[in-house]
Amino acid sequence: MTTNEIIKKLFIAFSKKDEEEFYRLAEELINLEKRKKHNIVAKELKEALYATSNIRINSNRRFKTDVPIPRDNDTGFPLLELRRYNHAWEELILSTKTDYALKQIVLGFKSHEILATYNLKPKNKILFCGMPGTGKTFSAQVISSYLGIPLVYVNFEAIISSYLGETATNLKKVFDFISNGVWIVLFDEVDIIGKNRDDQHETGEIKRVVNNFLQMLDNFEGDSLIIASTNHPHILDPAIWRRFDEVINFELPDRSERVSLLKLYLKPIKKEKDINIELIAEETEEFSPSDLKSMCRDAITHAIINERESITISDLRYSLDRFKERLALRTD
Ligand SMILES: Nc1ncnc2c1ncn2[C@@H]1O[C@H](COP(=O)(O)OP(=O)(O)OP(=O)(O)O)[C@@H](O)[C@H]1O
Ligand SMILES: [Mg+2]
């Protein structure tokens, strides 16, 4: 087909609201430009086609929701869950550096095909590390929402708590599942399998799982985006680090990030004029985003149960003091 013929058919597909045909023709037009060695035009068209947040994946790359969820043979427990989220990227407050690094991962994922024309692959084995409550699990949920692809949440408890010898089979089932489509996969809190392989207290079975996981990660050549998270990066075996294309570190929020977080979490309620968010941000230095969220929820609850429709500085002061007492008791 010539360019003109494709464009005519594109218009027809659009007016018939035939989305499949529209994308097929658009891809054909892009390929035609590539064949003419108009690489920049092809790249621009591709970006325009997939510009919206809900990435559309070619039919052969799309995730398949009709594949059965793998289960442990003995217990029958599901080894993973498919979870759908609807979070906006703006709900995630990170340092500019971390936010940029995350966006690069997403852009790489979206640019899969154009990268392939240069014989390149996007980074798709990512390790998230950082203190509890800094947004590792939440970031995976935001990425899944942004790309419009369900999150495959891998349940390590189910994988490991099975009968001896079953764990390797279970891991294989999980990798088989994720190789069978394009998913955002979260191996959450991998510490349980990622602990230093020389740790004397570990059983042979767990060591085998670690080795297995590493091998499967190494051999994985699918297009899914695999994220593993940990809040104990220091106990991870150096061999694990090498397996990942990228390591993203989630830090505690600085003062200006705390201001943004406080504004975000206090949004649901009217605020009295005496509330000074800058001051509260100043006083919450060691707080994680998750701590700030709980503190704001407590303050809002305090206002409501005391029959006030707007929140005052004393509500916030009360929950802040309670929280500080709790933090002082925390040992992690
Ligand atoms: N950077 C952030 N921006 C906005 N909200 C956040 C952020 N980090 C955490 N939160 C909020 O705190 C909640 C808990 O955070 P999350 O579960 O992502 O922490 P985590 O880093 O996975 O911690 P853990 O190591 O304990 O698993 C999230 O659901 C979200 O509401
Ligand atoms: Mg988590």
Side-chain angles (χ1 to χ4, degrees), residues 140-291:
Q141 297 171 1
V142 170
I143 290 176
S144 148
S145 314
Y146 182 80
L147 292 169
I149 300 177
L151 187 72
V152 175
Y153 188 91
V154 181
N155 183 346
F156 265 116
E157 288 297 310
I159 288 181
I160 291 176
S161 67
S162 65
Y163 284 91
L164 215 71
E166 271 296 298
T167 42
T169 320
N170 283 347
L171 263 177
K172 185 168 181 313
K173 284 186 196 169
V174 170
F175 273 88
D176 283 348
F177 180 90
I178 59 182
S179 303
N180 205 347
V182 180
W183 304 94
I184 310 301
V185 187
L186 177 61
F187 287 88
D188 211 8
E189 298 174 27
V190 286
D191 319 82
I192 186 166
I193 64 152
K195 282 186 185 157
N196 197 312
R197 286 180 294 175
D198 296 330
D199 189 330
Q200 304 239 319
H201 304 292
E202 283 187 359
T203 62
E205 177 68 351
I206 291 191
K207 282 188 183 179
R208 271 197 295 278
V209 183
V210 174
N211 280 323
N212 251 292
F213 176 67
L214 293 179
Q215 264 167 25
M216 289 186 201
L217 199 65
D218 257 356
N219 295 336
F220 179 74
E221 286 187 348
D223 295 327
S224 292
L225 176 61
I226 300 189
I227 300 169
S229 90
T230 172
N231 53 38
H232 297 289
H234 54 281
I235 59 168
L236 286 188
D237 189 310
I240 288 210
W241 289 83
R242 271 189 279 112
R243 258 53 180 219
F244 292 95
D245 301 327
E246 183 77 272
V247 178
I248 297 191
N249 193 24
F250 289 73
E251 283 162 346
L252 287 177
D254 67 13
R255 206 187 51 76
S256 77
E257 286 148 31
R258 292 198 298 277
V259 168
S260 307
L261 286 158
L262 288 165
K263 284 185 181 160
L264 179 73
Y265 297 137
L266 291 176
K267 226 183 202 163
I269 194 160
K270 225 174 107 199
K271 287 164 272 301
E272 288 296 325
K273 286 204 178 59
D274 62 356
I275 292 215
N276 183 341
I277 290 202
E278 297 281 341
L279 188 72
I280 302 290
E282 200 75 59
E283 289 184 39
T284 45
E285 180 142 10
E286 294 294 306
F287 282 49
S288 69
S290 174
D291 294 335

Side-chain angles (χ1 to χ4, degrees), residues 91 93-94 132-138 189 231 265 289-290 293:
E91 289 174 51
I93 314 282
L94 297 169
T134 47
K136 300 179 296 295
T137 304
F138 188 51
E189 298 174 27
N231 53 38
Y265 297 137
S290 174
K293 185 178 178 179

